[in-house]
Amino acid sequence: VQLVESGGGLVQPGGSLRLSCAASGFTFSNYVMSWYRQAPGKERELVAAITSGSEISAGEMTNYADSVKGRFSISRDNAKNTVSLQMNSLKPEDTAVYYCNGHARGLLREYDYWGQGTQVTVSS
C-alpha cells in the first residue's frame, strides 16, 4: 500500500497550491479519502474528506474544516486512483505538513493508510 503526496511548497499569503495524492495497493474507490495537516506543536487535524461515492447515499460527499471552507476544495479521480486538494487564498496559519489518508471499514476491522506528508509553507 502506498500513498504518495506531491505539490507542497512555499507560497505567499493569498496564493494557491494544489496537492495531489497517488494511491496504490488497495481498492481506492472503496475508501474515504482525506487530507489532514499538522503544524509544529499542534495535533494533526482533518482538513477535508471525500466519500467513495459507492455508498447507498449516492454520489460523493465532501466535508471541510471550518477554517478552510470556501478556500479549499477536495476532489478524487477513481480511474486514476488520485485525490487532490486545491488550496486558494492561503494564509500563514495554513502552514503545516499535509497528509493524505485513506480509510475504510471492513467486516472485522478498519483500514487506515497514510502518506508520508508534504510541507506547505505560507509566508511572505
Side-chain angles (χ1 to χ4, degrees), residues 72 94 108:
F72 290 12
D94 294 318
L108 300 177

Side-chain angles (χ1 to χ4, degrees), residues 12 17 23 28 39 49 61 68 91 95-96 103 110 113 116 119:
Q12 291 187 344
L17 279 176
F28 179 82
M61 293 187 294
V68 307
K91 304 175 181 180
T95 295
H103 179 80
E110 296 194 8
Y113 303 130
Q116 82 288 351
Q119 176 70 46

Side-chain angles (χ1 to χ4, degrees), residues 24-111:
S24 60
F26 62 98
T27 307
F28 179 82
S29 59
N30 289 347
Y31 280 66
V32 174
M33 298 302 298
S34 303
W35 288 94
Y36 285 75
R37 67 186 180 187
Q38 188 167 20
K42 294 187 176 182
E43 293 187 355
R44 190 173 296 190
E45 63 173 351
L46 176 67
V47 175
I50 184 167
T51 60
S52 66
S54 62
E55 288 82 3
I56 296 175
S57 57
E60 296 170 349
M61 293 187 294
T62 58
N63 186 42
Y64 297 92
D66 288 343
S67 59
V68 307
K69 283 181 180 176
R71 300 188 298 122
F72 290 12
S73 178
I74 188 171
S75 60
R76 66 189 296 161
D77 186 335
N78 288 340
K80 296 182 179 179
N81 287 3
T82 58
V83 59
S84 299
L85 184 68
Q86 178 66 43
M87 305 186 295
N88 300 325
S89 303
L90 282 161
K91 304 175 181 180
E93 51 263 43
D94 294 318
T95 295
V97 178
Y98 283 71
Y99 297 91
C100 178
N101 169 265
H103 179 80
R105 290 182 179 177
L107 289 176
L108 300 177
R109 55 164 287 191
E110 296 194 8
Y111 298 83

